[in-house]
Amino acid sequence: MNYITKLLGMSALAAGLIPAAYAQEAEQDKEAVLGTVVVTAQFTEQNLQDTPIAITGFSGDMLDTRGMSNVLDISAQSPNVTLTPGGAFSGPSLVAFIRGVGQTDFNPALEPGVGMYVDDVYYATLTGSVLDLLDLNRVEILRGPQGTLAGKNSIGGSIKLFSEQPSDDPNGYVEVAYGDYDALKLRAASNFTLIEDKLWARVSGVSNSRSGYVDTYSYGCLFPGSGFPNQRLDAGCKTGADGDIDYSAARAALRWLASDTVEVNASVDFTDDNSGATANTLLGFGPTVAPVIVNGQLQWPTVAAVPFTPLDPSQFLATDPYVSYADYTDPRTGLVVPRDRIMQSTGASLSVDWALSDTLQLQSISGYRQYDSSFAGDYDASPVPVAILYQTNTHEQYSQEVRLNGQVGDFAEWTVGGFYFKADTDLTGRIDLGYVGFDFIHGPDPVETTNWALFGNGIFHLTDQLVLSAGLRFSEDEKDYTFRRRNPDLGPIQPCLGPPGTPGNPPNCLISSLDGTNSVFSDDRLDYRASLSYSFTDDTMAYASYSTGYKGGGVNPRPFFNVQAETFQPEELVAYEIGAKTELFNNTLRLNGAVFFNEYTDVQLTLNDCTAIFGPVFGRPCLANRNAGDADVKGAEVEFQWAPIDGLSIDGSASMLDFEFTRLDAATGLSINGVPAFTPESSWSLGAQYDIQLPYGTVRPRVDVSYQDDVYGEANNTARNRIEAYTLVNGSIRWISPDEDWVLAVEGRNLTDELYYLSKIDSTPGLGGVVYGTPAMPRTFMVSVRRNF
């Protein structure tokens, strides 16, 4: 706990020094004050400063000013929150971790550890959760388990996006931006009054494109004597560039005041994403059972593990970190996969609010979502066919939530309700794994998920200063998973004639009995939450809370052998938290902080070496999800917003996390000193902006600096999947016209041109033979013009 004490001490010191700067505060007329941030975390509208939960909130204006256009951008300024794209392994998916709890695998057989919601509609999968922050009113990031408030799989926390709703305000905007890598972005939104004082509409849309930033080259073209085919497309050897994006999205919303007591909000949205393959490069190599190169020809090894290639393995390690030799082909099987990462999704929601009386309100929230997503992966980023996959997810979900909100005078606000969720997902893939000797069709594996819950929450004002918040939620989960495995010609996979390596064994025979195998998981649980908050003054509140949450169990979806098709149990978390929220100096400084202690049990981790579980024959290769053990997680967070003088705004955050296993299953092969993926011990951010008032408008420069400590891309914490610490500097300069109708901006990201990685995977322990990763984009600039009307 020493580092927590240190962090709190630093916060206290800052709080003590700031008053010195305000020695003459009473003599000054402060115009720079912080606006009220309204959140709905406890089912009712509350000032963020009165809500006894660790919450980071961003208004729509804050998102625009800070250049946050994608959900990934918000983590840099949110303590103990890590959001990153899934990498080449996961396609268009989101990896989200809060306080050491999350999920890295997009497979629908697994559950996210951080709940994602848009207008209170739950997004059930990591795929499709890398959302454009299109026309938002606000973002709420709730840290810690939200087992009673958000429920399903919000064990680490919840991220809630709330769209701008239609109104009679005739506002709208059009924004065009152009930048490096031929980046072109168009955003627009507008309100429309259809029936005066009765019916309004709002339409918004975005189109975003950018060229790739990791160049791919034909190895056979660059090195004609290597024995690899020449895939030259033109006079040069360049075959393309991975990491390009090309998507469009639109949303249409209606708001109808059906009567004085009934309001209806409906929306539909659509996304068409035709981006290219995820940027990926080869970072290292190791033992493998992949085909080797002899005299320029691909051949199979005759021993269980041989070097990556008898030629110099460094030949495939490009000296440029933004270069890859991936060719997305396997000359042995004739497989050629398209270099894309595509997704088409649609969604609809319907919210009905009915004021039954002055103190009673009924709310219904209905949601529907569907998507089809496909993506390619040439994981080794080389011309050797170690691992080439093309996977497709199809997903459809329905959700229904009903809440009855009531009030008992000034003493209590209460909510009771029910939730129902059903999702059907199919995962299909062509799985060409040279390092295993597999080439088969995975799926379609149908996954049927259902969840229903009953919940209640109350806010009780015991005195004018003391408030008790309490809630509970009963949940029941069921998951039905069916394995489908076929040969590439769609024929059945025949059983093996003998152990691995037996001459004459049919192709893919080690997974022959999986086809048609069905696994069902079901569980129910009761989650609790209680907090006491005390307002020392109108501007200072402290709270203590106890809360629980869980992440559903399931079945290992990627067995390399029949014996690896195991189920795993839910993971659970009990959290104790103490926090304080303050607004000081005439509302010019908002300073919030929290310390927490979590008891984390049956932690679900992904293993890639299972020899201690299944033995030396069936233990490698392996990619198994398993309950690894229990852990204690301690941490501290502080964040602030400060407006010391008119026009100047400073904001920042800092967090520390200590993750310690208290019990670890020895069969996992993991280190007792290890940590989950994407769990930095420390992180911080600092931002500042200043409005310079000129006769011809306002000039607003802003700079943001953020730091993230070392993290690991996988649970096995090898030196090769360690993502080194990095510091990012982003900046912008905006000109705002006197009437605020025009905004011109120049934005720069990664201004120091730092090389850092979004993900790293080390497959060498499982005989994949390669280490690969996704480098983040280098320094980029963008110029934009916006017209408000």
Side-chain angles (χ1 to χ4, degrees), residues 698-718:
T698 301
V699 175
R700 177 182 295 163
R702 179 176 177 89
V703 62
D704 288 288
V705 184
S706 62
Y707 168 83
Q708 178 179 285
D709 204 354
D710 294 348
V711 298
Y712 292 94
E714 299 173 280
N716 59 353
N717 292 186
T718 71

Side-chain angles (χ1 to χ4, degrees), residues 106 134 191 234 258 313 334 424 472 479 544 641 683 712 716 752:
F106 74 96
L134 173 63
N191 281 329
D234 50 33
D424 292 287
L472 58 83
K479 178 165 291 184
Q641 291 177 272
S683 62
Y712 292 94
N716 59 353
T752 60

Side-chain angles (χ1 to χ4, degrees), residues 105-111 126-127 393 427 442 447 481 557-558:
D105 195 335
F106 74 96
N107 193 290
L110 313 174
E111 303 289 352
L126 297 181
T127 298
N393 257 328
L427 176 60
H442 174 126
V447 187
Y481 192 100
R558 296 190 182 89

Side-chain angles (χ1 to χ4, degrees), residues 75 78-84 94-105 113-114 126 141 143 156-157 159 551 571 600 604-605 657 659 675-680 712-713:
S75 65
S78 306
N80 275 324
V81 177
T82 302
L83 304 176
T84 189
L94 174 70
V95 173
F97 276 76
I98 295 180
R99 295 180 174 177
V101 181
Q103 176 61 259
T104 60
D105 195 335
V114 174
L126 297 181
I141 302 178
R143 300 186 296 278
I159 299 173
K551 182 168 72 172
E571 63 180 26
Y600 194 9
Q604 297 171 9
L605 297 177
L657 194 73
F659 189 104
V675 295
F678 298 102
T679 303
Y712 292 94

